[in-house]
Every structure is written in structure tokens, then in C-alpha cells.
Amino acid sequence: METALASISIARGQGSYLYDDKRTQYIDAVSSWWTNIHGHAHPYIAQKIFEQAQTLEHVIFAGFTHQPAEKLAEKILARIPFHSKIFYSDNGSTAVEVAIKMALQYWWNKGEEREKIIAFKDSYHGDTFGAMSISARGVFTQPYHRLLFDVEFIDTPVKGHEQKTVEQLYNLIKGPAGAAQIAGFIFEPLILGSGGMLMYSEQVLDELLSICNANNIITIADEVMTGFGRTGKFLATDYCQNKPDIICLSKGITGGFLPFAATTCKEEIYQAFLSNDKSKMFFHGHSYTANPVGCAAAIASLEVFENENTLEKISRLEKQHSKFADSIKNHAQVKEVRQRGTIVAFELNTKEETGYLNTVRDKAYQFFIENKIILRPLGNVIYIMPPYCISNEDLEQVYGVIYSFLDTL
Ligand SMILES: *Cc1c(COP(=O)(O)O)cnc(C)c1O
């Protein structure tokens, strides 16, 4: 708090704009922490939330069910035809906790001692203890390191490192413990978000998935950031031939309206819990599991996705981003430009190490805010991740302010 700028009080949102209490307009170029996909205060989603809240705001989801939960399950699973079951929770971290517990208990229920999780060295999977354990050891997790469980980290397979990562995975499987101790592999597909918008190819992901499949290692796609069109397809793993066994969804799930999450899995995982022995059940649930208002928002958001040519908007965004990426890649202050779908990111040249605490971050953030653009660099990595409804003109405005910032360096 001592180094933070005074918080801006936001009074209203509409489309890709946010307005503060003095009616100053900002362009939300980070989709309010990557959650917003159709724009702020979308009237259709707002209306559906209003209607649901007047009908049934919440009910215990043990021993009871309701139509919004069932309808949402059908709609999401229709997009993930290789999965048959869905588990609701509240946020990305809980979606991940559910996924890890599913993988670990799957083996427990089968009487096999498989407890090791494999993850990428630069990954971010959330802020709860399980999610921190499988995330990069770094500045976010440092105070808790001794309390986090051990994970086998492999390198993020960024360009040029693909073969090394594949070898590391093979070595773990062939190592003294071998595949017989590995419960699962969790990964952010194609883009590691908080780790600095690090990107890698679908080809290497496919290879990693196929190795895991061949060795009975449960694969968990953390699509919390990448889901719902972010990467150009509905899911990032839609780019792959091999499919993950478990998928975590949150952020964009309600269009950015309400905290909500889902973890989906294939039938085989579910079957390992189905038993007349109650000790094999999945002991997990949250007070607000399957909250009907959250479900209604998620259904409405998917309807907007289908009815407002969202994929077209995404591909327009993609094209505009790639022109921008081309235009800055040779700038003297720019180290590397990366793009996938609606996300474009670049690293600034700096004397300090690339990382979240890099000091250029504060300077950049402040410059963008002064120019009424909400961008929140990850250290020296600047990225744009707008709601899909952003207009071409507003996007050009964002690029323009970035060019001006580069000129100040
Ligand atoms: C944001 C994020 C999470 C955590 O989600 P929260 O809703 O903030 O708990 C997990 N995984 C990924 C990939 C994320 O980007």
C-alpha cells in the first residue's frame, strides 16, 4: 500500500469502457483481470441474473439440484464432448484444487500410490495452498515455500526449448520412481499467464499429452485464463489432437459477471469414485457450489457467445493484434513480441532481470492510466487482453498509447 497509487473508484462500466466517479472514461485493455469477454454490464447477462435472483438465488447442492446447474452442465459439456462430468466451484484456484484432488484420489481409490504432480516451472495455478504448490516457486510463493508440497517441475517448452522439456518428462517417467509414482501433469495450455504471458506451441503440448496418455498420467488443462475463446478457439486445448483428462474453467465463464468455476473430467475419472464404499466419494464442496445466479450468468454468457458472432470478433482482434505485433517487433526497446488469439504481449528491454518486480512496470502502468488505458504489465512484460467487443478504434487507441510509452524510454 505504501508504494501503490491511490485506487481509482469505478462507478460504472459499459462495453470495453470503465468510468470513474468523476466520469473519466478508461479503456479496459485487461478485461478486468482476464474475466470479461463480452463487455461490461452486458444487458442480456444482467437481465438473466436479475431474473434468476428473483426465482432462486441459492440452494444447497448436496441432495438437491436445479435447472440452471443442469442446463449449464449440458452446454459446457457439449463443447467438451470427451468429458462426461462437471464439478462446480467458485474461482480459478478452487477449480484447480478440485482437479488436483480428483487426480490424487483417482489413484487412491484404485489402490495405487501415485502422489507426484508434474507442472511447468513458470506456471501459475492460483493462490490457495494446493494451487501455490503446483505453481512456480517465486516471489508470489516465497513466504510459504517450506509449507508447499513437492512437485516435479519441468521447463516451460517455449520456442527452442521444446525438446528439452520432452526429455525432462521422459526422464521423470523413466527415473527411479518412474511413472508408477506420477499422479498427474497440470499445465496452462499454450500460454502461461501470470508467469509473463509465456507462449508455446500446440505441437509440443500434443507431444507431452501423448506421452502422459501412454503412461497413464492424468493430464489436467488449467484453462482458467485460456478458456472461452481467449486463444482464438473455444478452448486452448482445442488446438491439440490429444485431449486432457480434466479441464479447469473460471475467469471468462460468467462473462466476467460473477465468481464461478467448473472442473470437467472424463468418464473414467468419475467411474473411479463411483462405489458403494462411501470412503471413495469425492469429499469436496463449497457453500456456494453451483450457485444458481452464477449458473444463469454462465448460461447467458454462452448464449451471447453463440448469438453475437463472438468467434468473428475474436478473429478480427487476432488480425489487428498481429499487425500491431509486426509493427513493434523491431522497436529498439522491445525484446520479444508474442501473440496468440486475443492476447498480444511483449518484453521491454531492461537492465534488470525479466520478472514481476521489474521497476519499469510502475512507470508503464502510471503512463497508461494517465492516458486512460487500463493495462497492467507483468514486470517488464506488457500485454493487451481486451474484451472481445472492443472496437477497432479503441484498440488502435491502446496501441497508440503503447507507441507513445515506448518513445519515452
Ligand atoms: C487466474 C488464474 C487462476 C486462479 O484463478 P482465481 O480465480 O484468481 O483464483 C488459476 N489458473 C490460471 C491459469 C489463472 O490465470
Side-chain angles (χ1 to χ4, degrees):
M1 289 308 291
E2 219 166 277
T3 59
L5 301 173
S7 291
I8 296 166
S9 177
I10 296 297
R12 201 166 70 77
Q14 189 179 15
S16 50
Y17 304 125
L18 289 166
Y19 299 88
D20 70 12
D21 50 8
K22 294 174 201 73
R23 302 208 174 124
T24 307
Q25 175 185 286
Y26 298 86
I27 298 175
D28 183 358
V30 293
S31 299
S32 283
W33 241 331
W34 320 344
T35 60
N36 195 291
I37 57 178
H38 307 298
H40 289 282
H42 192 290
Y44 181 76
I45 303 174
Q47 178 63 29
K48 291 294 171 184
I49 289 173
F50 175 62
E51 288 169 14
Q52 184 58 47
Q54 288 177 305
T55 311
L56 174 68
E57 84 303 340
H58 190 56
V59 60
I60 177 174
F61 204 61
F64 297 89
T65 184
H66 49 79
Q67 198 253 342
E70 291 178 16
K71 185 169 174 191
L72 179 61
E74 282 164 20
K75 280 187 94 63
I76 290 179
L77 292 172
R79 299 245 181 201
I80 312 177
F82 45 94
H83 284 181
S84 64
K85 290 287 183 277
I86 189 162
F87 194 100
Y88 294 123
S89 65
D90 311 322
N91 58 68
S93 304
T94 56
V96 165
E97 296 287 340
V98 166
I100 320 169
K101 285 176 71 176
M102 272 183 188
L104 293 172
Q105 197 182 333
Y106 170 89
W107 294 112
W108 169 273
N109 284 357
K110 286 183 164 286
E112 285 194 40
E113 236 175 87
R114 288 189 180 226
E115 294 181 339
K116 274 271 177 289
I117 304 281
I118 300 173
F120 288 138
K121 215 167 61 188
D122 304 292
S123 59
Y124 175 79
H125 295 290
D127 286 347
T128 50
F129 265 83
M132 276 199 293
S133 294
I134 52 168
S135 296
R137 296 294 184 268
V139 64
F140 301 157
T141 54
Q142 212 163 12
Y144 321 103
H145 279 179
R146 282 168 306 142
L147 301 171
L148 303 180
F149 62 74
D150 278 342
V151 169
E152 297 291 351
F153 287 108
I154 56 177
D155 287 357
T156 305
V158 294
K159 210 173 175 153
H161 272 70
E162 292 94 342
Q163 225 30 55
K164 188 160 173 229
T165 302
V166 169
E167 272 164 33
Q168 288 172 340
L169 180 59
Y170 268 127
N171 288 341
L172 283 175
I173 293 167
K174 289 203 208 101
Q181 284 208 348
I182 300 167
F185 165 47
I186 185 161
F187 56 93
E188 294 163 86
L190 308 186
I191 311 178
L192 282 74
S194 300
M197 298 296 155
L198 301 173
M199 304 191 186
Y200 63 94
S201 74
E202 57 262 40
Q203 287 80 9
V204 66
L205 180 54
D206 240 333
E207 194 172 349
L208 297 170
L209 287 172
S210 116
I211 297 168
C212 289
N213 288 347
N215 288 280
N216 279 329
I217 294 168
I218 295 176
T219 53
I220 305 169
D222 177 354
E223 295 249 17
V224 168
M225 181 189 80
T226 50
F228 302 94
R230 264 300 157 208
T231 66
K233 291 190 190 271
F234 189 74
L235 296 177
T237 45
D238 287 347
Y239 285 94
C240 295
Q241 307 298 317
N242 293 287
K243 299 302 176 191
D245 301 317
I246 299 177
I247 294 177
C248 308
L249 298 167
S250 186
K251 294 204 166 100
I253 195 168
T254 58
F257 270 73
L258 290 168
F260 197 83
T263 305
T264 67
C265 72
K266 65 176 184 185
E267 182 63 21
E268 191 190 322
I269 307 256
Y270 172 72
Q271 286 296 331
F273 290 80
L274 196 60
S275 166
N276 54 17
D277 173 1
K278 278 197 172 185
S279 73
K280 292 200 168 170
M281 77 162 129
F282 190 54
F283 293 97
H284 195 104
H286 295 281
S287 323
Y288 283 100
T289 290
N291 174 257
V293 185
C295 291
I299 294 165
S301 176
L302 280 169
E303 286 169 348
V304 171
F305 203 98
E306 289 149 14
N307 300 334
E308 290 192 359
N309 299 325
T310 303
L311 285 173
E312 245 169 70
K313 290 180 188 166
I314 289 170
S315 88
R316 170 184 56 87
L317 244 175
E318 249 180 306
K319 285 191 197 107
Q320 226 176 322
H321 272 349
S322 53
K323 269 189 236 153
F324 168 69
D326 267 349
S327 74
I328 59 160
K329 69 173 184 244
N330 294 321
H331 193 287
Q333 301 299 335
V334 172
K335 197 153 93 187
E336 190 188 62
V337 188
R338 304 185 276 271
Q339 193 214 339
R340 174 70 83 152
T342 68
I343 303 173
V344 63
F346 58 94
E347 281 183 33
L348 292 173
N349 273 323
T350 147
K351 287 192 191 72
E352 295 167 59
E353 217 179 306
T354 293
Y356 193 79
L357 298 182
N358 196 296
T359 47
V360 74
R361 185 253 173 222
D362 290 348
K363 190 179 167 201
Y365 178 80
Q366 197 156 350
F367 184 90
F368 299 138
I369 287 289
E370 279 161 12
N371 286 280
K372 315 294 178 249
I373 309 282
I374 303 176
L375 282 172
R376 219 169 164 275
L378 296 155
N380 61 320
V381 178
I382 295 179
Y383 69 90
I384 314 174
M385 196 190 303
Y388 311 148
C389 64
I390 191 171
S391 69
N392 291 354
E393 296 70 35
D394 286 338
L395 209 46
E396 289 303 331
Q397 173 75 15
V398 174
Y399 300 151
V401 170
I402 290 176
Y403 292 131
S404 314
F405 176 70
L406 291 175
D407 289 341
T408 69
L409 295 176

